[in-house]
Structures are given as C-alpha cells and as structure tokens.
Amino acid sequence: MASTAVPEEREKQHLPLKIYADDIEDQNGAVNGNGAGENKGKENELINGGTTNGQGGDGIVHAEKVLKIVDTGAEPREKKTNTQKERPNFLRQESKPEYQAQGIDETPKSPPRQKARKPASNKFTRSMNGIDPNLSTAEKIVGGKNGDSRSTKEYTGADKKMVEKVEHNGNCHKIISLRPSENYQTQLAQDRKERPLSSGKQAGQRWKNSAIRWAPLSIPLQRRLQTCVVLFHTLCIAMGVSIFFFLCAIPLFWPLLMPYMIYCMWSTASTSGMLSYRSDFLRGLPVWSLFASYFPARLHRTEELPPTRKYIFGYHPHGIISHGAFAAFGTEALGFSQLFPGIKNTLLTLDTNFRIPIYREYALAMGLASVSKESCENILSKGGPNKEGMGRAITIVVGGAAESLDAQPYSLRLVLAKRKGFVKMAIRTGADLVPVLCFGENDIYDQFSVDTHPTIHRFQLLVKKLMGFTIPLFHARGVFNYDVGLMPYRRPLNIVVGPAVRVVQEQEPGQEVIDRVHAEYVKQLERLWELWKDDFSPNRKEEMQILE
C-alpha cells in the first residue's frame, strides 16, 4: 500500500516529504503492480543526500505553493508500457508565493483604484483663472441646497484687490463672476502716473514723415488710365522727337526720313486754313474723356452763339501747358459741339510746334493750327457754308508764354493790358470776341515765384526773347506719388464761356476802335470773374489782376 502524500500525515509518521510527481507515479505503480520500491529508494536517496533546497536542520523539507522543475542529472527511466509517455527525471520543488491570487479563476487582479485625486491647489487654480496666485485670500462661504455652496473670495495684495464669486458643486466648482474692487481703477491710474512707460523708436516713422506721399497700389483702373492719357499728352512732344531720332539711327529709314524732313520745313498745312488733316474721329475718342476726368474738367456756357457768325475765343489764363484749353477746344471730351452746334472751333498753338517731326502729324490730326497772323485770317475767311468762314471759330491763349511765368496756384494774373493783336484780327475778319475764363488752370502746377526768385525770372524772359518760348520751372506730382513729378495735380478745371462781344468788320481799324473793343472785352472778362469766383475759386489767395 502506498504511503500517504499529505505533508502533515508524513510528519506524524516521521517520514520525509514526498514529491507530488513521485506520489502520482507510486500510485500508478501500485496500480500497475511494479516500480514502487525503486521509486521510493531513489526518493530517499535524493532527499538524504541534501540535493534539495529548503531542507532544515531536522531534515524536514517545507512544502511551497509553486512548483519548480530542477534537473537532477539522473538517467531517464525506462518505459513501463507502450502507452505510457516518457517523463524526464526532474525534481520539482515549490517556491515562495510571488502573488496572492483572488477570485474563482485564481488569476492575478489589477491593483484597486486609488481614491479620487485631490483638487488642485488654490494657488494653481487662481493662476489658471488669471488671478495672481501671490495675492492673499479671504473667503466667505454661503451654503446651498444638495451640498452646493457659494463662496466669495477677495484677493488682496500690495497694489491690487479683486473679488471672485465661485459656486461649488461636489468636487467641481465654477466661477460665477470676477471683477476688480472699487478702488482698483483709482489705484491703476495712480500706478500709470508713478510708473510711466519709456518706449523706443517707432518702426516706419521715417516713411510716414517723408515729404513724398506715395500712391497706394489699390488705385482703381479708371484712375490709372486717366493718368496714362494725361502723361501721354504731357510728353507727346518729347515722345515725337525721341521717335524721330530713333528712326534716324537706322540707315534703312534714311531714304524716307530725308524727304519727310524737307516736307516738314516747307509744309503750309498749319497755316492754310483748310484743316484738311483734321480728324473728327480722333478728336472724339473715349480716351479724351479720361483725360478730362483726370482733373476733372467741365465746360460751361453762359449764352448761346449763333452758327451764322465767326468767333475768336480768348482763353485765360495760359497756365503752364493749358490743359483746360486742350480738353475744351482740342477735343470733344467736354461736349463743345453739343453746347455750340454748327460752330467748328480750332485751337491755335505756336508755329514752331509744326516743325517738330512726328508731333506735327499728331497736332494736325487733332485739328490744331498755327497762331500766326496768316493762319488766323485763312481760318476765319475760308470754309463754312458760304466759303467765307461763317460758323468758323479759333481759340487763342491770349497771355502766351509770358503769362505762364506768372502762373501761381490760387491766383489769376493776366497779361492782357497791352495784348490787342487778337482784337485787331477780330475787327479785320468780322469775328465776334468771346471771353473764356478757366478757373483752376493755374492751380494744377507749382513753380518758382517771380517775387522770391527775380534772377530766374529775368533769365526766363531772356530765353523767351531769343527763342520765342519760355521755360517755366514747374513741378507737381508724379505717376506714383503726390509730390514730385511733371504730372498736373488733380484739381478741378471749370471753363466758363462768356457772352460774345459784337464786332463790326473794318479792313483798317483805327486805334480808337481797337481800344474800345478791347475795353469791352476786358469788362466782360472781369464780369465773368465776379459772377463765378465764389463758385469755382473759393480758395483763391487774391483777386484777378490784369498786367501789362
């Protein structure tokens, strides 16, 4: 009969502890009828030989709960039957428990959850709420329902005080209101006086203080087109000369340029009065509407003019380039044909301009003609329904180059007292005199004053005497800025056409007749100024003056 394997029973019988695996084998051997004595002998040999771990001084080995497999180096046992599996000869020992199993399935469990985390410190909470954590706190709690409570906290420090209302609900709380104390604003204003700021230089200040004001990039397309058209008209003479010299640099064009130069020198197209090169299509192009709207310019009529008579329009003042005269009488941008139907007007300019290659073709196509005596007589005595100049008109800028030297902004100084040649021409041709006053012509450019720079003025008069034209030292704005350049300022031009002064034709008028007509013309011009100066020249610096 096999011995018991229970450790307590074997201890009472003074038997050594029995290995669990060998006990199973002994039971199998007892059943099979063999192997019990052999196994028992080996068991005693292993235990008494001290090969096991955990044996005490009394030779007793204590059982443990986890089995360990230890290789003893013994010979493998023979198979007892064919169906019995071969088992390696290992010594199994129990180790100390490494965990304490709980539950039905004897599996290790995760450690129990810790208690709820402690709420963040008051200092951290106040820092997250935007309150200085270094301020001292005085709290007053008011109880509520279901464990809720509300508290009012006052944070006080050396130089500030704030009041906070908080609602508590269990482990959560929320801020109801946060406001400064009553004396907070007073203390803040006092701090600003006691601790003023010292700032460095402002970035971009030099750009803002610059004397040049640059145009922004977000300019409407229409204004850009207006600038382009005015720039073209301002530089058209320089562009014509440049194109001519560029063509002269190419030998291929020499056979064409030589005859063209001879034609320009001997041509009478500008003085014949036939206006054969005039193009109504070119004068009515929409681009000239852009030119007039740049300032903007406007043409005004005081009285209707019958198309059965001839007219000489006297334009005042000359200004620098006479942009108003070109817009009103050199193009149809301001509607001259609608205001004065049946009248064909021709703007006159210096005869030297028609000797400039390329540019002269442009001027003739726009209907311009020479201001010479021959040209004026031919235009007013040829053409029209009766072939004697009826319905014809010419526009003369009476002041000329001398008046351009007195063109100062917000002033009107006219060189007119001794200018009587156009009056004599009107009497000889039988043309009525029509005064035209342009408000704003002198305002679109700045130039050196005659009073402050007399030396420059004398030099300009010398150039005019020798060459027939003058060089005004002017400036205005640029294409991309508002302070430096040759582009005119965007200031309104109002061209007012006054009533006509009736003239009786005389082939050889006397000086008395000329003076009388001239005085009547000046009187009508002064009347125009008095009637419309408050409407069209409110920023004037002085009244109109008539010089020499």
Side-chain angles (χ1 to χ4, degrees):
M1 181 177 178
S3 60
T4 180
V6 179
E8 291 80 2
E9 297 296 334
R10 293 182 69 86
E11 184 178 359
K12 292 179 181 180
Q13 299 175 13
H14 303 285
L15 295 177
L17 294 177
K18 193 172 183 179
I19 306 304
Y20 176 77
D22 292 340
D23 181 60
I24 297 300
E25 186 175 352
D26 290 345
Q27 293 178 9
N28 293 335
V31 175
N32 296 330
N34 55 7
E38 181 181 357
N39 293 334
K40 183 177 181 180
K42 290 185 177 181
E43 175 187 342
N44 295 333
E45 180 182 357
L46 292 172
I47 296 175
N48 295 330
T51 59
T52 61
N53 297 326
Q55 184 175 353
D58 55 359
I60 300 174
V61 180
H62 299 282
E64 299 185 0
K65 296 181 181 180
V66 179
L67 298 179
K68 289 187 177 181
I69 301 176
V70 181
D71 189 359
T72 60
E75 295 292 337
R77 299 179 181 179
E78 297 180 358
K79 296 181 180 180
K80 296 182 173 121
T81 60
N82 295 333
T83 60
Q84 186 178 2
K85 295 182 179 179
E86 182 179 357
R87 180 177 61 83
N89 189 12
F90 288 102
L91 177 61
R92 291 164 174 80
Q93 295 179 351
E94 295 180 356
S95 63
K96 294 181 180 181
E98 297 181 359
Y99 62 88
Q100 183 177 2
Q102 297 179 0
I104 299 177
D105 54 355
E106 294 296 318
T107 57
K109 302 298 182 181
S110 61
R113 292 182 178 272
Q114 298 179 0
K115 294 183 179 180
R117 295 182 180 179
K118 295 181 179 181
S121 64
N122 192 23
K123 181 176 181 180
F124 174 77
T125 305
R126 286 153 52 187
S127 177
M128 292 296 291
N129 292 334
I131 304 175
D132 188 356
N134 296 321
L135 302 178
S136 60
T137 307
E139 182 174 1
K140 179 180 178 181
I141 301 177
V142 181
K145 297 181 180 180
N146 300 327
D148 298 347
S149 62
R150 293 187 179 183
S151 64
T152 302
K153 298 181 182 180
E154 293 186 358
Y155 302 92
T156 59
D159 55 353
K160 63 178 79 173
K161 180 178 179 181
M162 303 188 73
V163 179
E164 172 190 2
K165 290 185 179 181
V166 182
E167 180 178 332
H168 301 275
N169 184 6
N171 293 330
C172 302
H173 68 277
K174 62 180 180 179
I175 296 178
I176 299 176
S177 64
L178 181 64
R179 62 179 178 83
S181 59
E182 297 178 355
N183 61 347
Y184 176 74
Q185 295 295 339
T186 305
Q187 185 67 29
L188 186 62
Q190 183 178 357
D191 290 347
R192 292 173 63 91
K193 295 180 179 179
E194 296 177 356
R195 304 172 185 176
L197 293 178
S198 298
S199 305
K201 66 178 183 179
Q202 183 178 356
Q205 190 64 26
R206 293 183 61 185
W207 182 275
K208 294 181 180 179
N209 295 337
S210 175
I212 300 177
R213 297 169 298 164
W214 296 95
L217 296 178
S218 58
I219 296 294
L221 178 61
Q222 182 181 6
R223 294 177 68 87
R224 292 297 186 192
L225 294 176
Q226 292 171 358
T227 303
C228 290
V229 176
V230 175
L231 180 64
F232 167 78
H233 176 70
T234 305
L235 302 177
C236 57
I237 295 179
M239 292 173 59
V241 174
S242 300
I243 294 174
F244 176 74
F245 282 111
F246 174 76
L247 296 177
C248 289
I250 303 176
L252 182 63
F253 292 98
W254 289 358
L256 299 177
L257 293 178
M258 294 301 294
Y260 177 71
M261 293 177 63
I262 297 174
Y263 166 76
C264 292
M265 294 176 62
W266 299 99
S267 175
T268 59
S270 61
T271 59
S272 63
M274 302 302 297
L275 305 178
S276 57
Y277 292 91
R278 181 188 179 112
S279 173
D280 293 335
F281 170 78
L282 186 60
R283 289 169 57 91
L285 286 177
V287 294
W288 304 123
S289 178
L290 293 173
F291 175 86
S293 60
Y294 171 88
F295 301 98
R298 193 77 181 270
L299 181 62
H300 307 275
R301 182 191 67 186
T302 57
E303 291 184 5
E304 295 184 1
L305 300 178
T308 56
R309 295 189 60 83
K310 311 171 187 179
Y311 300 97
I312 295 179
F313 289 79
Y315 183 86
H316 308 273
H318 182 280
I320 301 297
I321 306 181
S322 302
H323 286 297
F326 179 79
F329 306 109
T331 69
E332 290 295 332
L334 302 184
F336 180 87
S337 299
Q338 285 75 26
L339 290 176
F340 306 99
I343 298 176
K344 191 173 185 178
N345 199 323
T346 302
L347 179 63
L348 305 183
T349 184
L350 294 176
D351 187 68
T352 55
N353 291 334
F354 296 95
R355 301 294 179 259
I356 301 175
I358 308 299
Y359 172 75
R360 69 180 301 275
E361 314 302 331
Y362 164 73
L364 290 173
M366 293 299 298
L368 275 64
S370 174
V371 74
S372 63
K373 178 180 178 181
E374 180 185 3
S375 175
C376 294
E377 290 181 350
N378 291 334
I379 294 174
L380 295 176
S381 60
K382 298 179 181 180
N386 59 354
K387 302 299 181 180
E388 294 181 358
M390 187 179 64
R392 288 283 188 92
I394 59 175
T395 300
I396 301 175
V397 184
V398 178
E403 193 175 82
S404 65
L405 300 179
D406 295 314
Q408 296 295 329
Y410 308 108
S411 64
L412 189 60
R413 298 178 181 180
L414 306 181
V415 179
L416 182 60
K418 297 181 180 181
R419 296 295 177 100
K420 300 179 180 180
F422 72 102
V423 177
K424 185 177 181 179
M425 178 62 63
I427 297 174
R428 292 182 60 181
T429 58
D432 296 341
L433 289 174
V434 182
V436 180
L437 192 59
C438 179
F439 294 87
E441 183 69 61
N442 289 342
D443 303 342
I444 59 179
Y445 285 103
D446 291 324
Q447 71 166 328
F448 290 107
S449 175
V450 177
D451 300 331
T452 58
H453 300 82
T455 304
I456 296 178
H457 182 64
R458 286 194 295 268
F459 173 76
Q460 292 172 330
L461 292 177
L462 179 62
V463 173
K464 176 183 175 298
K465 183 178 181 180
L466 296 177
M467 306 183 66
F469 61 90
T470 185
I471 306 176
L473 300 179
F474 65 92
H475 73 88
R477 55 160 295 175
V479 178
F480 301 107
N481 70 85
Y482 300 120
D483 300 287
V484 179
L486 301 179
M487 293 287 296
Y489 292 123
R490 286 181 178 268
R491 294 171 182 171
L493 300 177
N494 289 279
I495 302 98
V496 181
V497 179
V501 178
R502 296 296 298 268
V503 174
V504 178
Q505 185 176 6
E506 295 183 17
Q507 292 295 329
E508 296 296 333
Q511 188 64 37
E512 183 180 354
V513 177
I514 296 175
D515 293 342
R516 179 177 55 82
V517 176
H518 182 271
E520 182 66 20
Y521 177 85
V522 172
K523 182 179 178 180
Q524 292 293 341
L525 191 64
E526 291 176 343
R527 187 169 179 269
L528 283 179
W529 168 259
E530 294 296 333
L531 287 174
W532 306 106
K533 63 180 181 180
D534 293 333
D535 295 332
F536 300 137
S537 184
N539 300 322
R540 61 188 181 277
K541 296 179 180 178
E542 59 185 23
E543 297 298 320
M544 183 180 71
Q545 301 179 29
I546 298 181
L547 309 175
E548 45 175 344

